[in-house]
Amino acid sequence: MSIDFHTLPDAHGRFGAYGGVYVAETLMAPLAELTAAYERLRTDPAFIAEYEHDLKHYVGRPSPIYHAERLSRKVGGAQILLKREDLNHTGAHKINNTIGQALVAKHMGKRRIIAETGAGQHGVASATVCARLGIPCVVYMGAVDVERQAINVYRMKLLGAEVVPVQSGSKTLKDALNEALRDWVTNVEDTFYMIGTVAGPHPYPQMVRDFNAVVGREARAQMLEQYGRLPHALVACVGGGSNAIGLFHAFLNDADVAIYGAEAAGDGIETGRHAASLAAGRPGVLHGNRTYVICDDNGQIIETHSVSAGLDYPGVGPEHAYLKDSGRARYLGVTDAEALAAFHELARTEGILAALESSHAVAQGIKLARELPRDQLVLVNLSGRGDKDVHTIARREGLDLT
Amino acid sequence: MSRISDRFASLHAARRPGLIPFITAGDPLPGATVAVMHALVEAGADLIELGVPFSDPMADGPVIQHASERALAQGVGLAQILGWVREFRTRDTATPVVLMGYLNPVEIHGVQRFAAEAVEAGVDGVLLVDCPVEEIATARPLREAGLDQIFLAAPTTDPARLEKVCAAAQGFLYYVSFAGITGAGHLSTEAVRERVGQIRRLARTPVAVGFGVKDAASAAAIAQFADAVVIGSALVDTLAHSADAAEAVRRAGAFLAPIRAALDALRTGHAA
């Protein structure tokens, strides 16, 4: 019997055994308020029209599907197609979600927005929509990430946001999330928490997915229009998993479309220095939901490692946990070195600087295409552009651009 | 009757407000925890909340975050903490011990296994901060093993939920005095008094109040209308500066004794 993947999550926010609402009591009320507001808005034609208008005229959607012909020829296997989310305003898929959540916040009458960010893409996307709404925006960012994503930090400041470096724990994305939750619990009355990925307590995994699902809806229609068929396989990078679920969702019930998530294997899964929650983690509870987490035998979350700040997260969206267990999607590790090689390959063959996050998907796409015949199509989500990463890449290659 | 309800029954009979200190297990020194627990009892603790350190304590302020980080840096884990409770029980079979922490360490240990080991060690109750009443099924093995499941109520808890929380609560209900993280400071006694009044009408368990209680004066103000006061961050902060176990023991006693004295000076018997 086939599963209808479009019926999830259930009313409790569960995707099978995963998801749910695992937060302290104080946050139950604001989450219930948000769930009620979102349930009302998501089927409201006026709200949908407003959201779609913004996506078209402000974000610049639809984003094209581009046939990476030179890259495909060089790889010598299936044709590699790129869903160009890097061409969106602010340079990544993250804006799809913040446009949507900003509208929800506006309808709820919230006067202050907080967000967490890893690579800074979600922070920039949050600061952007807040500037447009004229609402104050506070972005929590791990101190380590502030250091390695200096350009995005400055972009957020230019957009009028306050960036708060988080000094606790491993000083990365997970700690930024903790700190944002602490802010929210302290300012529940007037503050809207804009989570940047498909994690966190219900309704976030559902809401963030719904706002990113435009990627897959568009892609599915574009494939049928441009190629007259669906792709053989989809590939997207998975940290928290928002761009991936955004691409995957419209295709989940298309059983013939294979689905691959590329997780950050860092120095290699066997070294322990990675961020591959699904490939190498275990079910647990983190940041308000049950999902796969990277932790030790005492249940303590372990510091993750990836060259890409946006994938450096020890959990993953609960829907991905469900897709893994159900066998609908496969999640594979891509190392730092493989991602960097793919970054250069794409730059030289196609003139596209991909984000380091997205370079993981490109690497996985290349591996997959190599194994497949030339007449097959592999659709890779190019979730963001790499301008923010040039300093990181230069540094790894021994150059100092400052 | 559990050790927790026994304790509250005798407090009630004596018209004495309960005093519940919280310490992070293993902080400041793993070797000091059991001795500090005894010192707290000697200084007047009625129940001890033992914090299980977690790497991502999203409901805690900086003081308890740092205590957790220090404990984790010394390798403190659940097995060791249960060992300390077992050791504490060899000298003290009367004072209830509640473990307070987050779900993931318990899940990874195995809820069922943890429940059995906790009961065997002499733990009386468990408060899982990120396990609200909606996810109660997760913690069912704790109840089945005979542990009291302690729940939180907050200023944001609406009346319908409050009924659910009160119905599920065992041992005592922990009222979080303000919307915020542990150790933050803006306690409004009047607002808390009103809420605790509502909760006490609904609850079948005693009501303890925590968050923002930091000294004898704030404890005494809350104890006028609550069954017990919880005091955590201020104590954890005091212990943090101990050079060795002996100093931690001294500091624990010196911190708690004046608070006990202030509570005993009340003895007004609000619960009558």
Side-chain angles (χ1 to χ4, degrees), chain B residues 57-150:
Chain B
M58 61 185 182
D60 285 301
V63 169
I64 294 177
Q65 285 173 44
H66 293 144
S68 298
E69 284 170 15
R70 285 190 298 267
L72 291 175
Q74 304 193 67
V76 172
L78 263 183
Q80 205 174 2
I81 294 169
L82 292 174
W84 292 332
V85 176
R86 203 174 291 122
E87 191 187 332
F88 174 77
R89 281 278 169 255
T90 61
R91 266 183 58 200
D92 187 330
T93 55
T95 309
V97 174
V98 168
L99 296 188
M100 179 167 179
Y102 295 80
L103 254 176
N104 203 55
V106 172
E107 288 251 332
I108 298 301
H109 195 82
V111 181
Q112 204 114 32
R113 175 180 159 213
F114 166 76
E117 291 175 5
V119 167
E120 184 273 325
V123 172
D124 303 290
V126 177
L127 197 174
L128 295 167
V129 176
D130 53 354
C131 187
V133 67
E134 281 74 5
E135 305 290 358
I136 197 167
T138 304
R140 188 164 295 130
L142 304 181
R143 294 177 166 244
E144 287 169 359
L147 294 163
D148 281 342
Q149 194 175 1
I150 316 294

Side-chain angles (χ1 to χ4, degrees), chain A residues 89-107:
Chain A
H89 179 46
T90 73
H93 71 288
K94 294 286 186 191
I95 191 88
N96 301 321
N97 169 43
T98 58
I99 288 280
Q101 286 200 49
L103 288 175
V104 175
K106 193 176 89 176
H107 281 271

Side-chain angles (χ1 to χ4, degrees), chain A residues 126-137:
Chain A
S126 300
T128 299
V129 297
C130 288
R132 194 164 162 253
L133 286 175
I135 303 184
C137 180

Side-chain angles (χ1 to χ4, degrees), chain A residues 15-358:
Chain A
F15 301 87
Y18 302 102
V21 185
Y22 293 92
V23 296
E25 178 61 30
T26 309
L27 287 180
M28 293 304 292
L31 284 168
E33 183 195 358
L34 175 61
T35 303
Y38 181 60
E39 278 304 311
R40 193 174 65 244
L41 291 170
R42 72 190 192 96
T43 52
D44 174 355
F47 176 84
I48 295 167
E50 210 178 348
Y51 170 65
E52 287 179 348
H53 179 273
D54 281 355
L55 288 187
K56 183 173 177 193
H57 298 282
Y58 188 70
V59 176
R61 303 206 69 91
S63 69
I65 285 183
Y66 167 72
H67 180 194
E69 271 187 88
R70 286 195 73 221
L71 177 64
S72 304
R73 209 174 307 133
K74 197 159 171 211
V75 170
Q79 301 309 302
I80 298 171
L81 310 176
L82 303 175
K83 177 65 172 163
R84 297 291 307 274
E85 289 298 296
D86 60 316
L87 297 178
N88 293 336
H89 179 46
T90 73
H93 71 288
K94 294 286 186 191
I95 191 88
N96 301 321
N97 169 43
T98 58
I99 288 280
Q101 286 200 49
L103 288 175
V104 175
K106 193 176 89 176
H107 281 271
M108 291 176 76
K110 298 294 180 183
R111 294 184 300 276
R112 176 176 177 265
I113 284 178
I114 58 170
E116 84 295 333
T117 197
Q121 289 303 103
H122 173 61
V124 168
S126 300
T128 299
V129 297
C130 288
R132 194 164 162 253
L133 286 175
I135 303 184
C137 180
V138 177
V139 180
Y140 290 95
M141 187 169 187
V144 169
D145 293 337
V146 167
E147 197 64 31
R148 61 179 166 177
Q149 300 288 340
I151 292 177
N152 270 347
V153 172
Y154 188 55
R155 286 170 80 194
M156 286 183 261
K157 288 179 179 168
L158 289 174
L159 292 160
E162 181 192 346
V163 180
V164 181
V166 176
Q167 303 288 352
S168 59
S170 60
K171 305 180 176 64
T172 59
L173 177 55
K174 77 174 181 75
D175 309 286
L177 237 150
N178 290 331
E179 210 53 40
L181 284 164
R182 291 179 189 125
D183 179 314
W184 198 27
V185 88
T186 308
N187 300 291
V188 284
E189 285 302 318
D190 66 341
T191 296
F192 186 95
Y193 181 16
M194 197 174 258
I195 294 188
T197 192
V198 286
H202 181 65
Y204 286 101
Q206 177 188 5
M207 180 170 68
V208 178
R209 175 200 71 195
D210 290 350
F211 288 139
N212 273 304
V214 62
V215 177
R217 269 199 311 277
E218 257 176 37
R220 198 172 181 283
Q222 288 166 321
M223 288 303 301
L224 293 174
E225 192 191 312
Q226 291 171 229
Y227 298 91
R229 58 183 162 140
L230 297 180
H232 171 76
L234 305 175
V235 184
C237 65
V238 178
S242 67
N243 90 82
I245 212 75
L247 177 65
F248 299 168
H249 195 251
F251 294 91
L252 289 176
N253 286 338
D254 297 315
D256 293 339
V257 178
I259 296 180
Y260 294 90
E263 289 192 296
D267 290 343
I269 286 175
E270 69 289 350
T271 67
R273 285 172 52 78
H274 63 81
S277 315
L278 291 162
R282 47 182 152 184
V285 175
L286 179 66
H287 293 147
N289 67 99
R290 181 182 303 280
T291 187
Y292 278 78
V293 299
I294 300 174
C295 67
D296 66 17
D297 291 339
N298 281 322
Q300 307 301 338
I301 304 303
I302 299 172
E303 202 171 319
T304 52
H305 172 83
S306 170
V307 66
S308 135
L311 301 183
D312 214 348
Y313 181 61
V316 63
E319 191 164 8
H320 287 294
Y322 175 75
L323 293 177
K324 172 193 159 85
D325 283 12
S326 68
R328 180 64 188 94
R330 285 187 68 195
Y331 297 87
L332 303 163
V334 170
T335 64
D336 286 353
E338 290 171 325
L340 284 160
F343 171 89
H344 287 299
E345 190 72 346
L346 189 68
R348 298 285 174 85
T349 57
E350 300 289 351
I352 297 171
L353 299 182
L356 283 175
E357 291 76 16
S358 320

